[in-house]
Amino acid sequence: MRVVIAEDSVLLREGLTRLLTDRGHDVVAGVGDAEALVKTVADLDAQGELPDVVVADVRMPPTHTDEGVRAAVRLRKAHPGLGVLVLSQYVEERYATELLAGSSRGVGYLLKDRVAEVREFVDAVVRVAGGGTALDPEVVAQLLGRSRKQDVLAGLTPREREVLGLMAEGRTNSAIAKQLVVSDGAVEKHVSNIFLKLGLAPSEGDHRRVLAVLTYLNS
């Protein structure tokens, strides 16, 4: 897996690099601001060496507001095959919603505290690089818990909401079954009911798991 890291804290950038390289991944570049990130990815793409995934801080110089996430959105539009995982100190709904508003493939939003859980963090980077989704449980809880979404959630049972939250974290049906201590078949039934209630018809790519979350965000 080839990775570009964008983080203005040199200490954290080096730490992320070490975490990934120690596990056999190739960190091809590390930058400290959003413009450098966009330029680096463009240069690599021009050389036919587009990375598999970018890991970027939401807030970077010069204003430390939303440069990182805006760069991530630009990169997703310019390079559809590029995975983008953003890191944030806090749950920032607007940024998460903006990042998830486009294609449902290869996107992640994690809190920085999650980096301390090394295995989970690396698994999330690998999942996003492979076109999957990695949403922090705290992000999921806040996004799905907004009062204005209750009308959308009203048709789901409490168990279906719980399953949907775990789906949005990127868990497989088997992992959800293990978490909830139920059978795989029971989870499959809940997932089917969720898709049915949200009006998500089967698709060739079958990204309905992510679209189920996006339905709430965009409704």
Side-chain angles (χ1 to χ4, degrees):
M1 182 175 66
R2 302 175 72 255
V3 188
V4 171
I5 296 175
E7 167 60 58
D8 61 295
S9 166
V10 176
L11 184 61
L12 181 53
R13 187 165 72 237
E14 292 301 318
L16 293 173
T17 299
R18 182 66 179 272
L19 284 179
L20 293 166
T21 55
D22 282 354
R23 283 153 185 81
H25 302 297
D26 185 11
V27 178
V28 296
V31 299
D33 64 76
E35 286 304 317
L37 169 60
V38 173
K39 184 179 185 303
T40 296
V41 172
D43 290 346
L44 289 169
D45 187 34
Q47 299 166 20
E49 299 178 353
L50 185 70
D52 299 300
V53 62
V54 164
V55 178
D57 189 1
V58 164
R59 302 186 177 206
M60 287 194 289
T63 68
H64 293 278
T65 53
D66 62 357
E67 285 88 351
V69 75
R70 294 210 174 278
V73 171
R74 286 171 60 189
L75 289 173
R76 279 171 57 74
K77 291 179 179 178
H79 311 281
L82 175 68
V84 175
L85 173 64
V86 299
L87 302 176
S88 179
Q89 192 69 42
Y90 312 101
V91 178
E92 299 175 275
E93 272 186 43
R94 178 166 61 88
Y95 297 155
T97 302
E98 185 173 4
L99 185 67
L100 291 165
S103 169
S104 60
R105 288 184 55 80
V107 62
Y109 188 112
L110 296 180
L111 296 183
K112 286 188 174 180
D113 288 348
R114 204 65 59 189
V115 177
E117 301 170 18
V118 176
R119 178 177 293 181
E120 289 189 20
F121 169 70
V122 175
D123 285 349
V125 178
V126 172
R127 188 160 63 248
V128 170
T133 305
L135 297 181
D136 194 285
E138 291 299 322
V139 175
V140 173
Q142 191 154 320
L143 292 175
L144 298 186
R146 292 183 290 180
S147 59
R148 69 187 181 92
K149 302 302 179 187
Q150 292 307 306
D151 56 331
V152 179
L153 294 173
L156 301 181
T157 66
R159 177 62 93 182
E160 287 165 355
R161 296 187 195 186
E162 190 173 12
V163 169
L164 178 55
L166 293 171
M167 284 165 55
E169 291 174 26
R171 305 199 189 202
T172 64
N173 285 0
S174 294
I176 294 173
K178 183 176 180 181
Q179 174 74 20
L180 300 181
V181 195
V182 297
S183 69
D184 287 2
V187 173
E188 291 174 4
K189 183 176 180 181
H190 287 312
V191 172
S192 295
N193 287 339
I194 290 169
F195 293 155
L196 180 63
K197 291 178 180 180
L198 296 182
L200 297 174
S203 61
E204 185 176 346
D206 199 24
H207 302 310
R208 291 183 296 171
R209 299 175 80 85
V210 177
L211 290 175
V213 177
L214 296 181
T215 297
Y216 296 130
L217 301 181
N218 295 324
S219 64

